[in-house]
Each structure stands twice: as structure tokens, then as C-alpha cells.
Amino acid sequence: MSVLALFAVLAIVVVVAGVVWGIVALVRRQAYIKSIRERGWTFVNTPTWDSVARLGNPPFGIGFDRKPDDQITGVTAAGRPFQVIEYKSPYWSGWVGMVTLPRRLPELWITGGETTPRYGVLAQAVPAPPQLGPGWQVGTMDPAFAQEAVSPQLCQQLSVLAAGQTGVNLSIDGDQVVVLDPPRKDLDLLAQWLKQLGAIATAIDSTPLDRWIQPEPPPRLTFYHHPDWNWVGVDDSLLQFTPIQRGGSNHRTEDVVRGRDGDGPPFVAFEHHWTTTRTESYTDSNGNSQTRTVTEHHSEPVLGFQLPVRMPPLSIGRKGFASNAIEFESAAFNKQFAVFAQDQKYAYDVIHPRQMEYLMAAQGRPFRIEQDWVWFSPGEHSQPAIAHCSAYLRGFLGLVPRFVWRNLGLADTPYPALDSTPVG
């Protein structure tokens, strides 16, 4: 048999094996779904956003590309609603199981055994109750809540759950007790696991926690620790006034987010996409010169914060090769930063010694002030980038002296210094 014939046979074997494997996988999946429904549970192949809309803590509530997939819903043997769902985002992917609580409670994190901390969690570690034993960790935003919520009854049920697996990664997310990595492949094990998870929820229910009840969130896509961010999705009207690349065609917005953090300025952020075309020459297989049109796809992140008053032009970025940047009294600052402004006195008023110290310590992204907008060069369109720029700008604005705001027509500073120390 020739080498060519051997490769052909191998290719056919590979194709046939792939087809057989695909058929076997499909048959197994259909049998799995049938078994789910025989238990009185519901299986959904493509769940909607509603399936995870009430969840805001990691792995939920982070990023723009969030994909709920295969979903199992029903009630436990004790009648408590549950959900087991596959979830994918740029920061995590896997399966999550949860049961429903009658109250919305603050976030609480409990881990034990072999498990990896969830990406993006903002919580304070507090001592785990001795009853849990070594290797357990508890995280919360309020230690007083953890002290009340992690009761002896809850510790007992956590130990029972941990006995059947290598690790436990549990959280309270509003009115859901959420645990990563449920044993969803074996439905008998899953049913028992859900029963144990329901017992954990019952222990939480029996604890007097009514003073910790949280308000119902608005029905929208949530962002972890950013309650005033709003998912818009698409808003091409933004292309009319934002400083985007104007060349090319097919301009559009994607992943538009509006919001603000605390008393900081409101922002708009999105990914701008567009295309350009060019004609290039090439030589075909016959040696003839030909031309063809090449379409190239482009994207850029856009992030702007709206100020309450128009301000003179000012830009702050990393030191480059520009020779006309304003020099300040700090050699260390001049070495790191390039500041440009039409009015040097105004720049000196805003970039005072404390401001320079802040900018050097914070190491934020470059930005420029144009009238009543601050436009950043965030590097990427992502939740962490927006959050970082928002905090960085708020700190900067809080150090702008009062007399500068008064000279711009305001009665006082709209952004008090975050350290409560008056400036100017």
C-alpha cells in the first residue's frame, strides 16, 4: 500500500470514529435528559438570562460575555426550589448548583477542602468557627453578619456536605445558596447533594437574620459591587459625540455600559467596531497581476466620564518622547508623566504636590479632559478596566482644589477628597 493510500485509509478511520463518537454522545445525552425528566425535573438546553438575572456575586456579576447553558430545575425532596446550570464567562466556566432562600441576605463565602477561590471576590476574611475544623475559610463584607449566619447548625450541615466531596465552595448570593461543581453527571448523587444543600439552606432559614434582609434588586443585568451600573448592550447614538476613530465604515457599538460609582461622575463605556477596505495587488498561479479588495475589522475601547461643569483642556499620560510637556517641581513626577494644557497656571493649580503623589501612587490609565468630559485610554473594554479608571478618576477629582471649582462657576467642590482632607 502506498503512503498516499495509507493516509487516505487513516483519514477515513478518523472520520468514521468521529461520527461514531458523535452518535454515542448524542444517545447518551438524550438518555441523560430523559432521566432528568423522569425525576420530575426540567431540562432546558438554552436557558435565557432570567435564569441567572438574580445572581450578582462571582462567578456571576462579572464581565460582559456571560453565557448560561444547560439548565436543570426542580424542587428537592423537601420541596425547596433548586437550579443546576452550566455557566461560562471570560473569568470562569463550569457548573453551579443552588437552592432558594426565603430572604435576600448579604454575601457570604465559605470554602473548605480542595477548592480554588472565586475570581473577583471582594470580601474580608474572618475566623472560621472551630466546629468546622481546619482548612475552612469564611469571607464577608460585614463580620457581624458572618458571626450570626455561620451558626452551629450551619457548621454541622457544611461538614455533612464536605464529607462526600474533596472540597466545598459555597456562597450566599441574595436569595440563593450557591455551590460550585455539583455532581451533575450522576443524577442519584445529584439528588442526594441537593438534599444536603437544602439542609444547609434550612439551617440558614432557622437563624434569626431578618435584620440583614437586603432590598430586591432592579430587574437587570447586575455587576458585582457596582449597583449603579446599567447594561445597555447597543447604543449607536453614542457614535455621534464620542471621540472615536471616524474613518472606515460600518461603525457600531457593542457591550455598552452606563453607570457611576458612588458619588463619582457618571460614565459611558463601550467597544467601538468598524471596518476599512483597501485594494492590493497580487500575482496569481499563472503569473498574472491581479487586484483584490481586502476588508479589515477594527475595534477600540471607549470610556468617558461626564463632569458637572466644563473644564479647560488637560491631558495626563505616561512620559513619552514629547518635548512640550509641562514641567513640574517634582523630578520623579516629570520622569513618569507628561501633562499637556493650554493654560499652564491652571495645570499647576490642578497638579499640585499632593495630586502628583496620588498620580504616581495610583498608576492609572492616561486620560484627557475635553470640556465636560474626561476620556480615558483604558487599554481594553472590561469591567475591571472601567472600575479601575472610575476609582482613579474619583481620587483625582477629589484632589482638585476648591478654588478651581469655584473659578469654574461652582459653589464648592462636587467631589470631596476621599480622605476628607480639604484641598485648597
Side-chain angles (χ1 to χ4, degrees), residues 11 23 96 124-125 137 171 173 192 248 263 269 317 339 376 403 408 410:
I23 293 173
V96 186
Q124 175 184 347
Q137 294 182 322
S171 68
D173 190 342
Q192 181 62 29
D263 64 350
V339 177
F376 271 85
F403 74 85
L408 295 172
L410 299 181

Side-chain angles (χ1 to χ4, degrees), residues 4 38 53 74-75 84 91 93 95 98 181 185 197 217 222 224 279 300 320 342 345 359 387 422:
L4 184 60
E38 287 175 348
V75 295
V84 175
Y91 306 99
S93 64
W95 283 81
M98 64 200 77
D181 303 319
K185 292 183 178 181
L197 194 56
T222 58
Y224 180 58
T279 302
E300 64 176 344
Q342 296 177 358
K345 180 182 182 306
L359 292 171

Side-chain angles (χ1 to χ4, degrees), residues 108 110 129 131-132 145-158 200 202-209:
L108 180 70
I110 304 175
Q131 183 177 346
L132 283 175
F145 172 67
Q147 186 174 8
E148 294 182 29
V150 187
S151 64
Q153 295 84 357
L154 178 57
C155 292
Q156 180 182 357
Q157 296 303 328
L158 286 168
I200 288 175
T202 298
I204 296 172
D205 291 347
S206 64
T207 305
L209 298 172

Side-chain angles (χ1 to χ4, degrees), residues 64 223 229-232 255-259 267-269 381 386:
F64 308 136
F223 292 90
W229 288 22
N230 298 304
W231 169 264
V232 178
D255 293 332
V256 177
V257 180
R258 290 183 177 272
F267 71 83
V268 61
H381 179 53
I386 297 171

